[in-house]
């Protein structure tokens, strides 16, 4: 159903979803009622990709927003809403209890953001290309931070401002227990040593990072997050990973990840390598790879996106 600049979809008796806004305004106010239906949610396609909306004002009747909708809110500077299920503070969207950060407007002014101490969870879709955000300040109840570093391309560090019950920050990097949870995409360091005791890597690393040192404690996630480097150096006592000349292998002899920024025209895979993992050479700048006798398998897309011309 269409009413003016809004399309709605009935979701129950007397209630509906605002499924699409078709107008050209930069400030959009969603009515509490459209064509006799109370608006209780915002749909995934509410705004078109080409929209210029800078501010969205929602009625207190709105109880939910489809997380997929946030991907097109690229020009958003602020959201206003005050209800039982949703609330905004300084233009930033939270759930009604301010325990979950739902959406940070990408064009919000300021290069820093103080996460309220009441927030325990930051949703995966909370940040969408927030290119001006350099620092996030955290404290208090935070226990879940599910953000992809790529969605915060200018972030240099996370800063801990007070006590934290579940997570901690060290050298601008966020940890939870034995997991490295978030490494800022614009962290300036060219070398980084993962702290001893960390067992799992759950985050990619900065495009500035060139050399990564891995302690004996790391057991999981390294191969999925450490390709955009020049060199990976694993402690010799690590029982899950090993490195040979800066290249990452499993302890059983599988080549897991060739650092894509490694400066070499040719690479000779060491004798004794049993297999090459999926996407192992993805994005590699080497032009020629020499394989050893005894190699039994090469994984899917092992050379995808690389500069390799011959094997």
């Amino acid at each position: 159903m269409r009413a003016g600049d809004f399309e709605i979809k009935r979701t129950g008796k007397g209630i509906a979803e605002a499924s699409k806004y078709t107008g050209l305004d930069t400030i959009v106010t969603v009515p509490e009622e459209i064509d006799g239906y109370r608006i209780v949610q915002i749909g995934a396609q509410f705004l078109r990709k080409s929209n210029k909306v800078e501010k969205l004002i929602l009625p207190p009747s709105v109880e939910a927003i489809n997380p997929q909708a946030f991907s097109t809110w690229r020009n958003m500077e602020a959201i206003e809403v005050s209800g039982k299920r949703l609330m905004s503070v300084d233009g930033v969207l939270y759930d009604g209890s301010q325990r979950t950060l739902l959406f940070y407007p990408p064009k919000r002014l300021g290069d820093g953001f103080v996460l309220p101490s009441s927030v325990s969870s930051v949703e995966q879709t909370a940040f969408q290309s927030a290119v001006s955000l350099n620092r996030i300040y955290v404290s208090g109840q935070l226990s879940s931070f599910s953000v992809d570093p790529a969605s915060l391309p200018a972030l240099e560090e996370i800063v801990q401002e007070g006590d934290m019950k579940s997570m901690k920050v060290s050298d601008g990097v966020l940890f939870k227990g034995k997991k490295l949870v978030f490494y800022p995409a614009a962290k300036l360091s060219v070398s980084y040593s993962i702290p001893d005791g960390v067992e799992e890597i759950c985050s990619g690393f900065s495009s500035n990072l060139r050399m990564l040192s891995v302690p004996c404690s790391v057991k999981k996630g390294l191969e999925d997050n450490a390709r955009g480097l020049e060199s990976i150096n694993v402690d010799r006592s690590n029982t899950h990973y090993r490195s040979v000349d800066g290249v990452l292998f499993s302890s059983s002899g599988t080549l897991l990840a060739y650092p894509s920024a490694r400066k070499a025209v040719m690479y000779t895979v060491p004798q004794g390598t049993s297999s090459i993992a999926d996407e192992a050479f993805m994005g590699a700048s080497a032009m020629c790879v020499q394989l050893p006798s005894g190699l039994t398998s090469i994984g899917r897309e092992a050379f995808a996106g690389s500069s390799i011309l011959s094997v």
Side-chain angles (χ1 to χ4, degrees), residues 113-186:
F113 171 57
V114 179
L115 188 69
S117 60
S118 61
V119 172
S120 61
S121 174
V122 177
E123 296 293 279
Q124 185 176 5
T125 53
F127 294 95
Q128 302 284 336
S129 298
V131 296
S132 64
L133 197 56
N134 300 136
R135 289 172 183 81
I136 296 176
Y137 299 86
V138 298
S139 63
Q141 305 297 319
L142 185 63
S143 61
S144 175
F145 195 89
S146 306
V147 180
D148 181 352
S151 65
L152 287 163
L155 195 73
E156 297 177 6
E157 63 177 339
I158 292 181
V159 180
Q160 184 173 336
E161 284 202 312
D163 293 337
M164 299 182 72
K165 292 185 176 181
S166 179
M167 308 186 88
K168 69 174 183 178
V169 177
S170 177
D171 193 22
V173 181
L174 185 64
F175 298 86
K176 181 176 181 180
K178 296 180 179 180
K179 296 181 180 181
L180 190 159
V181 174
F182 186 88
Y183 188 100

Side-chain angles (χ1 to χ4, degrees), residues 37-266:
Y37 290 91
R38 188 166 58 93
I39 303 304
V40 296
Q41 63 189 47
I42 304 297
Q45 307 298 322
F46 180 68
L47 294 179
R48 296 170 294 183
K49 289 184 178 179
S50 59
N51 80 89
K52 305 295 182 183
V53 176
E54 298 173 356
K55 185 175 183 179
L56 184 62
I57 303 172
L58 301 176
S61 58
V62 171
E63 298 178 349
I65 299 173
N66 190 310
Q68 296 179 27
F70 299 137
S71 64
T72 61
W73 296 10
R74 299 169 184 169
N75 294 301
M76 198 72 69
E77 296 178 5
I79 296 174
E80 285 188 13
V81 60
S82 180
K84 292 183 179 180
R85 299 292 182 88
L86 297 173
M87 67 177 294
S88 62
V89 179
D90 295 330
V92 180
L93 182 67
Y94 304 88
D95 72 331
S97 62
Q98 204 179 5
R99 292 178 181 172
T100 302
L101 173 62
L102 298 174
F103 183 69
Y104 179 93
K107 295 296 179 69
R108 185 175 183 265
L109 295 178
D111 59 2
F113 171 57
V114 179
L115 188 69
S117 60
S118 61
V119 172
S120 61
S121 174
V122 177
E123 296 293 279
Q124 185 176 5
T125 53
F127 294 95
Q128 302 284 336
S129 298
V131 296
S132 64
L133 197 56
N134 300 136
R135 289 172 183 81
I136 296 176
Y137 299 86
V138 298
S139 63
Q141 305 297 319
L142 185 63
S143 61
S144 175
F145 195 89
S146 306
V147 180
D148 181 352
S151 65
L152 287 163
L155 195 73
E156 297 177 6
E157 63 177 339
I158 292 181
V159 180
Q160 184 173 336
E161 284 202 312
D163 293 337
M164 299 182 72
K165 292 185 176 181
S166 179
M167 308 186 88
K168 69 174 183 178
V169 177
S170 177
D171 193 22
V173 181
L174 185 64
F175 298 86
K176 181 176 181 180
K178 296 180 179 180
K179 296 181 180 181
L180 190 159
V181 174
F182 186 88
Y183 188 100
K187 184 174 169 61
L188 300 177
S189 304
V190 296
S191 64
Y192 180 69
S193 296
I194 298 172
D196 192 19
V198 172
E199 295 184 356
E200 184 175 353
I201 309 302
C202 305
S203 171
F205 292 92
S206 166
S207 58
N208 297 317
L209 191 65
R210 290 294 174 262
M211 293 170 287
L212 180 67
S213 296
V214 182
C216 62
S217 57
V218 174
K219 301 177 181 180
K220 186 178 179 181
L222 189 60
E223 61 270 39
D224 299 324
N225 295 294
R227 290 193 177 90
L229 306 168
E230 287 184 6
S231 179
I232 303 168
N233 300 298
V234 180
D235 188 287
R236 291 183 179 181
S237 58
N238 190 301
T239 58
H240 291 77
Y241 297 103
R242 64 188 177 95
S243 58
V244 180
D245 195 22
V247 180
L248 183 67
F249 291 78
S250 71
S251 58
S252 61
T254 297
L255 194 161
L256 297 175
Y258 179 91
S260 60
R262 177 185 167 95
K263 296 176 181 177
V265 175
M266 176 180 285

